[in-house]
């Protein structure tokens, strides 16, 4: 196995330590609620005149909290498709004449024909809600979608200040004159309506596919009809006037003083050469968006690609056979010439340095990526891979615990693979998504919408579930979204994970950059020499080989021992002549080599090809039937 210290890495992979750019906290702006404008709307309710907003809102909160728990915690007016006036009137009648009260009223009473609100979470940063609709109950819309429709709405007391996302498509708005300045857009697989009312930014979003019905997603045309009906039904349901800050100080940086002897990581945006969408690179975002707990319970852990490293499928960019390496079948990803082996437990998958893959080639919309599409999050492998069957080169799943990174509320439908933790706290509002754990276990543990979890609480185990068991490699997909004026958008979680990992191992990592002349293969050459003072120490966590041997240790959990590689650096001669070998190129980290993608990827990047590519919905989106993104 290859385990290098910092000096060894510099010699072996042609990397040099770089002066790391400082981590930075996010830029967050507060919103300021115009409660006088709220008073005008409250005047229509059956309340004493003149309207005293704090008193009226307190009274309203006491009433509507019967339907929406803790609604008073929202510092912004809560807008929902809820007939507040009728509810308050009927409640007053029931108080004076209990016999007139409608006993056991259905849950959808006062929801203007919408079905239910399975998720409602207010807090210091605003509120989020999911409202359920069914097309058969809104026949006047002419929507034929057979499945449950999930409508997301939120109002925010703060917004994260980011550049305008790429790939955002805007449409004109008709028939919503009561929402001055409202915008309609398609972004990251959602039709979204964004508007500002009472000084507060609100977003209504419905997942859709702007093309033929596929992967159980409704068309954006139908989603738009539902969204308009939803918008016209919005009423104030609660909220509490509070003192509003002039600015928000987001202090997310907390790094250990001591330097780790082994933890190294490539800079954010420095994805594997050749793996970016349409020959684009990554995004060099040094922002630490939240002071989280690392999502894996134990160290070491390894952030890297699962598609473009050993056993990866090259993400449909094409691959070619390359003989064998050490008795294991080898192949190359044609998109960048990367040489890999069909062994999920290969040691290169479980070693430093870390590598960002937020903008790696995927057919998912990611507005923060240069190409507009990407991976949306970060792949993380646990400490080791235990061979499920010796010689099968696959990992046994569900051996490593996954934990909640922050206190928050679960957002997840019972049928869904993806699990969100929604954080609503003073000075921050975020959503974290976990993928590839076992949905049946989530259900058994009650991890569905509304369940509160605490930071560090075990919520599952690393798996390989992707629409089915063993549908992907053994890893955790982790991503992060923040609210902006465009709604929730994906941001690069890489440096947030780096900072969390440093706190977990009690040591600072070393940010490194590649030199101009770098091997493109994932199997690095043996170092010519290794500085013994810089070499890594053994780890407390065993690394299991295909023979099941373990390495003993007494060192810090992030440290690794130097070991010889069981895989040779050259390929044996194959039929047809020629040797394999490690290729070199002159590409700088993050740049792409000019290799034409083959396989199922498109051969041209013209307007027609781009239009087709835009509406390919593959990968994680195939399984996401609800609550998949906001």
């Amino acid at each position: 196995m290859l385990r290098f210290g910092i000096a060894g890495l510099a010699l072996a992979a042609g990397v040099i330590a770089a002066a790391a750019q400082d981590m930075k906290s996010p830029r967050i702006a507060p919103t300021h609620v115009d409660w006088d404008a709220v008073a005008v709307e409250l005047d229509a309710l059956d309340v004493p005149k003149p309207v005293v907003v704090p008193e009226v809102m307190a009274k309203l909160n006491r009433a509507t909290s019967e339907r929406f728990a803790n609604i008073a915690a929202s510092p912004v007016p809560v807008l929902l498709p809820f007939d507040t006036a009728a509810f308050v009137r009927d409640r007053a009648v029931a108080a004076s004449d209990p016999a007139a009260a409608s006993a056991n009223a259905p849950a959808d009473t006062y929801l203007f024909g919408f079905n239910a609100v399975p998720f409602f979470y207010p807090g210091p940063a605003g509120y989020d809600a999911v409202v359920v609709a069914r097309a058969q109950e809104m026949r006047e819309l002419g929507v034929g979608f057979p499945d449950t429709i999930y409508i997301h709405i939120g109002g925010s007391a703060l917004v994260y200040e980011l550049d305008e996302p790429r790939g955002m498509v805007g449409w004109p708005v008709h028939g919503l004159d009561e929402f001055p300045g409202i915008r309609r857009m398609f972004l990251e697989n959602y039709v979204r309506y964004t508007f500002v009312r009472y000084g507060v930014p609100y977003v209504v979003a419905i997942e859709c596919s702007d093309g033929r019905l596929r992967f159980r997603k409704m068309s954006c045309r139908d989603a738009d009809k539902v969204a308009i009906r939803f918008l016209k039904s919005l009423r104030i349901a609660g909220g509490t006037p509070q003192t509003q800050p002039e600015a928000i100080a987001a202090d997310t940086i907390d790094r250990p003083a001591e330097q780790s002897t082994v933890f190294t990581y490539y800079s954010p945006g420095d994805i594997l050469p050749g793996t970016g969408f349409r020959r684009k690179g990554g995004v060099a975002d040094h922002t630490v968006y939240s002071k989280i707990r690392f999502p894996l319970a134990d160290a070491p852990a390894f952030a890297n690609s699962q598609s473009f490293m050993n056993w990866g499928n090259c993400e449909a960019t094409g691959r070619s056979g390359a003989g064998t390496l050490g008795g294991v079948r080898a192949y190359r990803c044609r998109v960048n010439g990367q040489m890999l082996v069909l062994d999920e437990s290969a040691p290169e998958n479980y070693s430093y340095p870390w590598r960002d893959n937020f903008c790696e080639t995927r057919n998912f919309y990611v507005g923060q990526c240069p190409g507009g599409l990407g991976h949306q999050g970060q792949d993380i492998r646990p400490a080791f891979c235990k061979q499920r069957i010796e010689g099968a080169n696959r990992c046994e799943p569900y051996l490593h615990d996954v934990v909640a990174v922050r206190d928050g509320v679960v957002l997840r439908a019972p049928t869904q693979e993806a699990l969100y933790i929604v954080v609503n706290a003073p000075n921050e509002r975020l959503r974290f998504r976990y993928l590839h754990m076992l949905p049946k276990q989530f259900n058994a543990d009650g991890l569905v919408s509304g369940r509160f979890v605490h930071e560090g609480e075990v919520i599952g185990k690393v798996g390989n579930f992707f629409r089915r068991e063993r549908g992907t490699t053994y890893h955790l997909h982790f991503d992060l979204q923040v609210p902006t004026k465009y709604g929730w958008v994906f941001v690069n979680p890489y440096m947030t994970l780096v900072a969390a990992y440093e706190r977990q191992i009690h040591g600072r990592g070393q940010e490194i950059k590649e030199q101009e002349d770098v091997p493109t293969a994932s199997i690095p050459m043996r170092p010519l020499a290794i500085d013994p003072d810089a070499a890594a120490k053994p780890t407390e966590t065993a690394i299991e080989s295909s023979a099941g041997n373990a390495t003993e240790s007494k060192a810090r959990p992030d440290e690794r021992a130097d070991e010889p590689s069981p895989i040779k650096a050259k390929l044996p001669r194959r039929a047809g002549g020629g040797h394999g070998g490690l290729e070199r190129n002159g590409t700088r980290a993050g740049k792409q080599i000019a290799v034409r993608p083959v396989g199922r990827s498109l051969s041209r990047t013209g307007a027609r090809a781009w239009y087709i590519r835009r509406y390919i919905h593959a990968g994680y989106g195939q399984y996401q039937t609800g609550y998949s993104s906001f």
Side-chain angles (χ1 to χ4, degrees):
M1 297 183 183
L2 301 176
R3 301 288 181 262
F4 303 142
I6 294 173
L9 280 166
L11 291 167
V15 296
I16 55 173
Q21 179 177 331
D22 289 340
M23 293 180 180
K24 62 181 182 181
S25 295
R27 293 181 297 125
I28 307 176
T31 59
H32 298 282
V33 184
D34 183 358
W35 288 100
D36 291 336
V38 175
V40 174
E41 191 160 330
L42 292 175
D43 190 59
L45 296 178
D46 185 16
V47 296
K49 306 298 188 293
V51 174
V52 180
V53 174
E55 295 178 5
V56 173
M57 292 306 299
K59 181 178 179 180
L60 181 61
N61 290 332
R62 286 193 295 270
T64 57
S65 62
E66 297 174 6
R67 296 295 183 100
F68 310 108
N70 199 32
I71 193 170
S74 173
V76 303
V78 174
L79 292 180
L80 290 171
F82 186 70
D83 193 344
T84 310
F87 175 77
V88 171
R89 182 177 60 251
D90 291 351
R91 193 171 181 273
V93 170
S96 60
D97 183 7
S102 56
N104 301 318
D108 61 352
T109 303
Y110 309 110
L111 290 180
F112 292 110
F114 294 95
N115 191 264
V117 184
F119 180 86
F120 178 70
Y121 183 35
Y127 79 98
D128 289 289
V130 174
V131 179
V132 168
R134 293 186 172 87
Q136 57 269 32
E137 297 172 3
M138 298 182 292
R139 297 186 184 279
E140 74 279 7
L141 299 181
V143 174
F145 187 65
D147 294 340
T148 301
I149 302 168
Y150 296 98
I151 308 163
H152 300 249
I153 182 171
S156 193
L158 52 86
V159 291
Y160 288 71
E161 298 181 316
L162 302 176
D163 295 335
E164 181 174 307
R166 295 171 179 83
M168 187 168 62
V169 180
W171 296 306
V173 179
H174 303 291
L176 290 171
D177 295 337
E178 61 267 45
F179 294 90
I182 192 169
R183 297 181 63 188
R184 178 174 65 154
M185 67 189 76
F186 177 81
L187 175 64
E188 294 183 347
N189 284 359
Y190 276 73
V191 60
R192 307 172 184 225
Y193 279 86
T194 64
F195 61 94
V196 175
R197 179 172 281 186
Y198 328 115
V200 178
Y202 294 90
V203 181
V204 172
I206 304 175
E207 185 179 21
C208 64
S209 171
D210 198 0
R212 67 182 181 88
L213 182 64
R214 58 186 300 161
F215 305 131
R216 306 183 74 85
K217 294 179 182 177
M218 71 188 308
S219 72
C220 290
R221 182 184 297 273
D222 284 346
D224 191 55
K225 296 176 183 178
V226 176
I228 291 174
R229 188 183 187 283
F230 184 88
L231 285 159
K232 289 179 175 293
S233 302
L234 292 178
R235 304 289 189 274
I236 293 178
T240 302
Q242 298 178 18
T243 302
Q244 298 170 293
E246 292 300 321
I248 291 179
D251 182 13
T252 61
I253 312 300
D254 181 15
R255 307 185 72 181
E258 183 182 355
Q259 188 80 28
S260 169
T261 59
V262 293
F263 174 42
T264 56
Y265 61 93
Y266 289 110
S267 301
D270 185 5
I271 62 177
L272 282 167
T275 63
F277 180 72
R278 300 184 77 196
R279 300 181 182 180
K280 302 290 186 179
V283 55
D285 186 357
H286 282 78
T287 306
V288 177
Y289 286 93
S290 180
K291 193 182 297 183
I292 65 171
R293 200 268 192 219
F294 191 70
L296 296 191
D298 299 312
F302 306 100
N304 53 37
S305 171
Q306 65 89 21
S307 285
F308 293 94
M309 292 185 68
N310 299 297
W311 191 269
N313 65 356
C314 303
E315 198 54 35
T317 59
R319 55 184 179 180
S320 57
T324 61
L325 281 174
V328 181
R329 289 172 57 197
Y331 63 100
R332 291 181 184 276
C333 289
R334 292 183 180 179
V335 73
N336 66 346
Q338 184 159 340
M339 185 169 64
L340 304 167
V341 293
L342 286 171
D343 183 0
E344 188 181 0
S345 67
E348 291 71 33
N349 287 359
Y350 298 86
S351 60
Y352 300 120
W354 280 16
R355 175 84 75 166
D356 176 10
N357 73 331
F358 176 65
C359 292
E360 189 176 81
T361 292
R362 299 289 196 284
N363 289 313
F364 311 134
Y365 297 107
V366 190
Q368 296 299 307
C369 287
L373 280 84
H375 181 213
Q376 296 182 338
Q378 179 65 46
D379 293 333
I380 309 172
R381 302 180 196 265
F384 62 85
C385 167
K386 177 182 179 181
Q387 290 273 346
R388 187 165 191 168
I389 300 173
E390 186 173 337
N393 300 337
R394 295 303 308 270
C395 301
E396 179 71 23
Y398 313 124
L399 298 179
H400 298 88
D401 287 339
V402 177
V403 300
V405 295
R406 288 291 313 276
D407 290 352
V409 172
V410 171
L411 173 59
R412 176 183 171 269
T415 58
Q416 190 178 356
E417 174 187 350
L419 180 146
Y420 287 89
I421 294 178
V422 182
V423 176
N424 189 329
N427 297 346
E428 65 175 355
R429 182 166 170 245
L430 315 102
R431 298 194 338 177
F432 302 98
R433 183 174 63 166
Y434 298 73
L435 285 168
H436 306 314
M437 293 186 280
L438 189 61
K440 289 182 179 179
Q441 191 60 52
F442 283 156
N443 294 344
D445 294 339
L447 289 167
V448 294
S449 288
R451 162 77 180 274
F452 191 87
V453 293
H454 294 280
E455 181 176 319
E457 178 182 343
V458 174
I459 59 173
K461 292 182 180 294
V462 179
N464 56 17
F465 189 96
F466 173 43
R467 305 185 70 198
R468 59 179 175 83
E469 289 279 5
R470 296 166 60 78
T472 184
T473 52
Y474 184 48
H475 74 286
L476 174 71
H477 171 101
F478 180 85
D479 60 45
L480 165 62
Q481 299 169 21
V482 298
T484 70
K485 63 182 180 180
Y486 314 103
W488 289 92
V489 299
F490 289 101
V491 291
N492 193 345
Y494 185 68
M495 291 307 290
T496 304
L497 289 167
V498 168
Y501 191 67
E502 288 181 337
R503 291 191 294 273
Q504 179 155 319
I505 65 175
H506 307 294
R508 285 193 184 212
Q510 174 67 54
E511 183 178 343
I512 56 176
K513 295 182 179 180
E514 291 184 317
Q515 291 177 329
E516 293 293 320
D517 189 21
V518 185
T520 62
S522 67
I523 304 173
M525 294 179 294
R526 294 282 305 279
L528 299 177
I530 296 179
D531 180 356
D533 294 330
K537 298 177 183 178
T539 174
E540 290 181 351
T541 306
I543 301 299
E544 299 199 23
S545 68
S546 59
N549 295 329
T551 303
E552 296 180 357
S553 77
K554 294 182 180 179
R556 290 198 346 222
D558 66 314
E559 297 176 337
R560 289 282 184 197
D562 295 320
E563 302 174 28
S565 171
I567 302 176
K568 298 178 181 179
K570 279 191 173 288
L571 297 173
R573 185 180 296 272
R574 294 182 290 145
H579 285 80
L582 297 180
E583 294 185 345
R584 291 179 177 269
N585 66 44
T587 59
R588 179 173 298 179
K591 289 190 176 181
Q592 317 300 313
I593 59 177
V595 178
R596 178 174 173 267
V598 298
R600 287 185 288 160
S601 59
L602 298 173
S603 59
R604 299 180 58 192
T605 57
R608 176 62 179 166
W610 172 238
Y611 177 84
I612 296 171
R613 189 68 177 262
R614 283 183 61 84
Y615 300 113
I616 293 175
H617 292 269
Y620 304 130
Q622 296 180 14
Y623 190 78
Q624 293 171 10
T625 58
Y627 299 175
S628 55
S629 185
F630 188 0

